[in-house]
Amino acid sequence: MAEVVLRGSPHVLSRRRPSFVRAMAAETRRKVPHVLTVAGSDSGAGAGIQADIKACAAAGVYCSSVVTAVTAQNTVGVQGVHPVPEDFVAEQLRSVLSDMEVDVVKTGMLHSGRVIEVLCSSLKEFPVRALVVDPVMVSTSGDMLSAPSTLAVYCNKLLPLADIVTPNLKEASALLGGSSLKSVADMYSAAKSIHSLGPRNVLVKGGDLPDSSDAVDVFYDGEKCHELRGSRVVTRNTHGTGCTLASYIAAELAKGSPVMQAVQAAKCYVESALCYSKDLVIGNGPQGPFDHLMKLKSHVSGLAQKPLFNPDDLLLYAVTDSGMNKKWGRSITDAVKAAIEGGATIIQLREKEADTRDFVEAARSCMAICRPCGVPLLINDRVDVALACDADGVHVGQSDMPAHLVRSLLGPRKIIGVSCKSPAQAEQAWADGANYIGCGGVFPTSTKANNPTVGLDGLRTVCMASKLPVVAIGGIGAGNARSVLEISVPNLKGVAVVSALFNQECIAKETRRLRSILSDVLRT
């Protein structure tokens, strides 16, 4: 009887036939990108390992953790820090690194030089693809989290192992012995000086830069400084932004992204999350947390969720153009009102010339026009603007943010469209979670110079291969819209137009004319 039990035990099977079990596991296992965060625990869950895990989850990456300290903190500040003994930090590191195939290690709060030495020793014993160092020394509220004596060990032992280090202005100043950083030029100099300490790349974060209307970061790769600018989000909910940025960089590196691309994706993600969370109220202190997964508003607003995407909305897809609005002396809201009056079924704002602040305000005004009419409003390329104005979705091109990342930022109920010219691109859009694809240019167009056309045959080929609804775009107007829809492919749902509507004296009149043509084709 004992023999029967043993044969049924997977543990006995693994002892008797370890090579067989390992071979089977290798056959069936799919490698999951994995980040290990080595940092302190934040009881308020806005920063530290809690923020790291949430950021990696938002990026679609597994995150394990080694706790270096336990803190008592909330939105008011840090009330206490309890360091984890160095030997137990070492035991945690060995447990994870020896078993779980970590791709990238990201560090946060390292409270002592001995902890840093333990980490460096572990990384030499268990090498990983990349090391991201966020030199956390002071909390957002100004409380000290690391002993001053750790600075020398940081500079001499940890930074030379780092693939990227991500100090804010205070941390960069500390690493450089107290240098004052008050301008972008100071950030350039600091990035180069910190690079000389050994890391392969440096990102100096300028969120606290005085007198700056933008969020400016400086990235230095050892050869060139890159100035990365984004919109500054005014909110109290900034606790944990540094941890989150570094963790998202680590997550992108774990997925195989180049360092610069990982930094850009992380910066965009943090900006989007801050925009989404700026009005949340969690805690009573001056620094609140933000919502990494961008889902909390639907639970606290008391409002019913908007319906999911309806492919029939693609019938007459109107794409605004800032140059045409300027030519005819119209505001973007005037153009959108006229298009809806004429029968446009969906609106996309493509405003290449507006700065972020003006674009957000204009988009909010357009949302106030579209929503009561039941007309979805999408933003071209700009996920941050879409989040800031609560637009219905985003349309991206092949060179923009990948649709799977857009989906992780916007959540499941927003609309995502992707520009595609080939069956392979259409297949990828479907795999990435898009709702529809825009195929074109079908015909030559003046709005995009040197844009290769696919023609009606190419449009038909992409439609036949696509698992998603398709809207045709490029050079389409009243004269040829009928020929586009008459290719008679079931998932071709409509046409997207720019000049045919917005480069005309009367937008409403031209929209009604085109809507009538499209409706006639559908009736036949």
Side-chain angles (χ1 to χ4, degrees), residues 287-336:
Q287 271 109 20
F290 58 96
D291 179 12
H292 291 73
L293 302 180
M294 290 177 267
K295 294 182 180 293
L296 293 179
K297 282 186 177 180
S298 62
H299 298 292
V300 301
S301 65
L303 299 176
Q305 288 186 313
K306 296 188 292 289
L308 293 171
F309 171 61
N310 180 359
D312 292 338
D313 288 336
L314 297 175
L315 177 64
L316 182 44
Y317 188 125
V319 183
T320 68
D321 182 274
S322 55
M324 294 172 192
N325 287 337
K326 185 181 294 185
K327 171 185 173 181
W328 291 96
R330 304 183 184 110
S331 68
I332 186 173
T333 52
D334 289 339
V336 168

Side-chain angles (χ1 to χ4, degrees), residues 3 67 75 82 93 128 149 166 191 198 218 221 238 244 306 355 361 371 383 402-403 417 421 480 486 505:
E3 183 65 11
V67 180
T75 62
H82 181 72
L93 284 164
V128 295
S149 59
T166 62
V218 172
D221 59 12
T238 58
T244 299
K306 296 188 292 289
D355 63 32
E361 290 306 314
R371 191 151 282 171
V383 178
K421 291 181 181 292
N480 56 18
E486 284 179 344
E505 183 176 1

Side-chain angles (χ1 to χ4, degrees), residues 36 38 93 97 102-107 110 116-133 157-158 161-163:
L36 166 62
V38 184
L93 284 164
L97 291 171
V102 172
D103 295 299
V104 178
V105 169
K106 178 264 175 186
T107 71
L110 304 174
I116 296 174
E117 291 172 347
V118 164
L119 173 60
C120 293
S121 177
S122 297
L123 291 174
K124 290 174 182 176
E125 183 178 358
F126 303 103
V128 295
R129 183 189 302 170
L131 171 64
V132 177
V133 173
K157 296 195 173 182
L158 189 61
L161 300 179
D163 291 271

Side-chain angles (χ1 to χ4, degrees), residues 231-351:
S231 58
R232 182 178 292 277
V233 182
V234 179
T235 175
R236 66 182 278 274
N237 299 325
T238 58
H239 184 49
T241 49
C243 304
T244 299
L245 183 76
S247 296
Y248 207 96
I249 291 171
E252 288 297 310
L253 294 177
K255 292 190 287 188
S257 298
V259 178
M260 180 65 167
Q261 183 178 320
V263 169
Q264 290 173 317
K267 184 172 174 64
C268 183
Y269 164 72
V270 171
E271 183 178 323
S272 298
L274 287 174
C275 283
Y276 177 89
S277 308
K278 64 180 182 178
D279 298 323
L280 290 178
V281 179
I282 300 174
N284 300 304
Q287 271 109 20
F290 58 96
D291 179 12
H292 291 73
L293 302 180
M294 290 177 267
K295 294 182 180 293
L296 293 179
K297 282 186 177 180
S298 62
H299 298 292
V300 301
S301 65
L303 299 176
Q305 288 186 313
K306 296 188 292 289
L308 293 171
F309 171 61
N310 180 359
D312 292 338
D313 288 336
L314 297 175
L315 177 64
L316 182 44
Y317 188 125
V319 183
T320 68
D321 182 274
S322 55
M324 294 172 192
N325 287 337
K326 185 181 294 185
K327 171 185 173 181
W328 291 96
R330 304 183 184 110
S331 68
I332 186 173
T333 52
D334 289 339
V336 168
K337 282 179 184 177
I340 292 176
E341 179 188 340
T345 54
I346 191 167
I347 302 289
Q348 181 193 129
L349 301 186
R350 188 171 71 187
E351 298 295 306

Side-chain angles (χ1 to χ4, degrees), residues 388-434:
C389 71
D390 193 26
D392 295 299
V394 169
H395 186 91
V396 293
Q398 290 295 317
S399 61
D400 299 320
M401 184 185 296
H404 69 86
L405 180 55
V406 178
R407 176 61 70 201
S408 71
L409 295 173
L410 295 185
R413 300 187 69 86
K414 295 293 186 179
I415 303 169
I416 298 174
V418 180
S419 298
C420 299
K421 291 181 181 292
S422 69
Q425 292 173 349
E427 176 70 21
Q428 188 62 52
W430 174 80
D432 285 347

Side-chain angles (χ1 to χ4, degrees), residues 153-210:
V153 189
Y154 251 113
C155 296
N156 297 330
K157 296 195 173 182
L158 189 61
L159 294 190
L161 300 179
D163 291 271
I164 182 169
V165 59
T166 62
N168 59 28
L169 296 183
K170 291 179 181 178
E171 292 158 351
S173 174
L175 291 173
L176 297 174
S179 302
S180 178
L181 306 180
K182 296 183 178 179
S183 67
V184 174
D186 292 339
M187 293 168 65
Y188 274 64
S189 298
K192 293 177 181 179
S193 297
I194 293 171
H195 185 270
S196 69
L197 298 176
R200 294 171 182 81
N201 300 275
V202 179
L203 179 69
V204 178
K205 300 173 294 189
D208 297 325
L209 193 67

Side-chain angles (χ1 to χ4, degrees), residues 376-398:
L377 183 126
L378 311 183
I379 307 296
N380 186 63
D381 298 348
R382 297 290 299 272
V383 178
D384 56 330
V385 173
L387 286 167
C389 71
D390 193 26
D392 295 299
V394 169
H395 186 91
V396 293
Q398 290 295 317

Side-chain angles (χ1 to χ4, degrees), residues 203 215-219 226-230 260 263-264 267:
L203 179 69
V216 185
D217 300 330
V218 172
F219 176 77
H226 304 267
E227 194 171 305
L228 308 178
R229 288 184 176 267
M260 180 65 167
V263 169
Q264 290 173 317
K267 184 172 174 64

